Amino acid sequence: MVEESAQVRSRRLADLTIPLLFGASTLLLLGGVVAAAAGAAPVATGLWVTATLLGLIYSTVTLADAVRHRRPSVDVIAWLALAGALAVGEAFAGAVIAVMLTSGVLLENRAERRARRELGLLAARAPRIARRLTSSGVAQVGVGEVETGDVLLVGSGEIVPVDGRLLGAAVMDESALSGEARPVERRTGEDVRSGVVNAGAPVQMRATATATESTYAGLVRLVEHARADNAPFVRVADRFAVAFVPLTLVLAGVAWALTGDAVRAVAVLVVATPCPLLLAAPIAIMSGLSRAARASVVIKGGSALERLAAGRILLFDKTGTLTRGRPTLADIVTTGPVDAAELLRLAASLDQTSAHVLASAIVTAAGARDLPLTMPTQVAERHGYGVEGVVDGYHVRLGKAPWIVGGPAPAWVRHARRRAALDGSLTVFVSVDDVPAGVLLLEDALRPEAPRMMRALRAAGIDRTVLLTGDRADMAEMVGRVVGVDAVHAECDPAGKLAIVRAEQRQQPTIMVGDGINDAPALAAANVGVALAARGVTASAEAADVVITTDRVDALADAIIIARRSRRIALQAVVVGMGLSLIGMAAAAVGLLPPAVGALAQEAIDVAAIVIALRALLPARTHTIVLPPADAVTAHRLYAEHNAVRPIVEQVRTAADALAAGDDLASMRGLLERLESDLLAHERAEEAELLPIVARALGGPESVGALSRTHAEIEHQVARLRHLVDEIGSVCDPEDVIEMRGLLYGLYAILRLHNAQEEENAFSLMPTVAPR
């Protein structure tokens, strides 16, 4: 803490003194020019000498600091140039060098302050108080007094004090964490992070973490590490510049020895001052930190940014990184008189009071379908089995199959378990009034933006991608195929992940991406560790060098693109600046540049190099595509409709599974009517409204050709189904069952593939895609 306070005091002192030094040296230089023009040569010389002494004092302090910390430095060249200018009576040249030196340091200081301001924005908004609901009313308490399980009231415009779960629907401004200014609608049961602002009506929430364990406290700790320090490139620049010192001294000495003119040696020293190398590189690096912070990526200093730019092998954890990391409802299989919507409503109503990891997913799914929930009574948790209670007079149970079925597993249970095993899903069985009613299938869905991000990373220069997971091999291979990785390692424990990272590290620099505690060793071992911390800062974020604060893994592509651009611009600035300096040194050595002119030339070189470096602050191409506001509104509306018709897609498979000879086709006709009236209407709206938006964003109609083709195929398959149902009449025979099942399964496969393509290529372009 003492060291941290000393660093803060040092930065504040630099913020105060550097502008004063620049202002004083500039005023002295200009004052001398005015005095010289007025014929007051002694006054002009005195003012210039004073400016030179200021520069000499500053360079002496910085040189002594470098020696004390055993840090390579080329301040010796600036010091010799200033001292030499005084020694040979070139006061004007000395004053120009002083202004050159302080102006470069001023620009560097301002870039550093801007980076600190961008990185410290989150910490500055940390919540301070909370309003806790008690038996006697609402009590205002310090945020540190909130305990897990407390029910809190968050008023309109107030900051959410701790991480929690919503007890009612809410509208949140999450721009402080995600960078997206659009208000986000959150449903009952969804998790909410500390630091976001309630942009709607007052809402109640249940705390799921204390203040120190919540998102904002973790981000404050991260920001403390994210100050712009010297990147490896800058340290290499220092070493290169130090190697440049002997060359400078030899050239100055040779010019003096051959001509006997000390002024030439001073001119070489003046032009040799390597400010482009010492200032341009840090400015570009710190500008990159600032740009990354605006993209919701906290990079812990210039060293991490440089290593991120140099990475060539990218390793991903699966759960929470390439997948969403939380279960979502995939399908509802019913058996009996209770339909799917009512089964979900009863289950979600009961789960409102449960702290189980799957409860939030079930409640969220019911909210997404606008199902009216009621508060359950007589709720009882049965450890190891499930939960039961009374909902609207029905006795409802949720849990494992043996507890729900109460005997040998019937065929539908075996079928549901087999399907869950094949798809990698979780099952929650449901009974109503002690009669098995169905099963809810939940999955950890693949992030729709992941495949597109992977292609962008390859285009940005990543040579190899590797998937690491503790999941079983078949599921890992499936995810690897979809996102397009080069290698898959399944069933890895933390030690296994660490060993793979070290093995890959022997080939090329590595970047490891993860979000869980078990990823922390691998994150720390990689050349760069990247953690996703959208749902809270964990051990993985503490161990990582880069932290993504938005719940979109494709922000990693933006971060890598920004890092590489910043490093490239730093190199450009150095090459241009030092190349011109070498030319100027040669000209000074042969007498073509006197010290005064050389000083002005070096000032121009410095300004040019710094201007090149400041280009890193300018907007440039990134992976994220910003949609126009009107297009974003349309895309969000169509995405909501996309989710609304998703249950119809699952009904197609359920109908095919249940089809048998002798069945009445009344239920099939009902499904067909929903396909024609709801699903096809939605697909036509997407063809007319969504595809033009995607075409404009991705650069032309060719980018949406596959989506348009599947729209046509869906229309064709539904028309075939209508023709078949009308031709069969009312009852199926065995041949009809075979033909209709084939048609239904084919339609189901097309719809699933089409939905995945739309989420990857269209809806992933939206600023925020809510989990389905």
Side-chain angles (χ1 to χ4, degrees), residues 136 353 667:
S136 57
T353 60
S667 60

Side-chain angles (χ1 to χ4, degrees), residues 331-332 419 645-659 668 671-672 674-675 679 714 717-718 721 740-752:
D331 194 12
I332 305 170
R419 177 177 172 185
V645 300
R646 188 177 293 277
I648 303 176
V649 177
E650 298 305 325
Q651 285 179 23
V652 173
R653 174 170 176 167
T654 301
D657 291 342
L659 196 61
M668 184 62 64
L671 171 62
L672 188 54
R674 292 201 65 191
L675 288 170
L679 187 137
I714 291 168
Q717 294 299 324
V718 173
L721 181 61
M740 188 170 293
R741 268 188 180 160
L743 185 52
L744 287 170
Y745 283 136
L747 176 60
Y748 176 73
I750 294 170
L751 288 169
R752 284 291 299 260

Side-chain angles (χ1 to χ4, degrees), residues 187-188 190 328-333 339-346 348 360-373 440-443 640-651 674 771-772:
R187 298 183 175 89
T188 302
E190 284 198 71
T328 56
L329 184 66
D331 194 12
I332 305 170
V333 177
D339 65 24
E342 179 64 7
L343 188 70
L344 177 59
R345 189 189 73 82
L346 293 173
S360 179
I362 294 172
V363 174
T364 299
R369 291 161 172 78
D370 296 322
L371 299 177
L373 304 185
L440 308 178
L441 298 172
L442 300 104
E443 65 180 5
E641 296 175 6
H642 174 86
N643 285 332
V645 300
R646 188 177 293 277
I648 303 176
V649 177
E650 298 305 325
Q651 285 179 23
R674 292 201 65 191
R772 65 174 188 262

Side-chain angles (χ1 to χ4, degrees), residues 656 659-663 728 732-744:
L659 196 61
D663 280 354
I728 291 173
C732 286
D733 60 30
E735 288 77 13
D736 295 332
V737 169
I738 294 172
E739 184 175 1
M740 188 170 293
R741 268 188 180 160
L743 185 52
L744 287 170

Side-chain angles (χ1 to χ4, degrees), residues 97 292 350 352 371 377 416 440 576 605:
I97 295 171
L350 178 59
Q352 288 181 100
L371 299 177
T377 59
L440 308 178
V576 171
I605 292 170

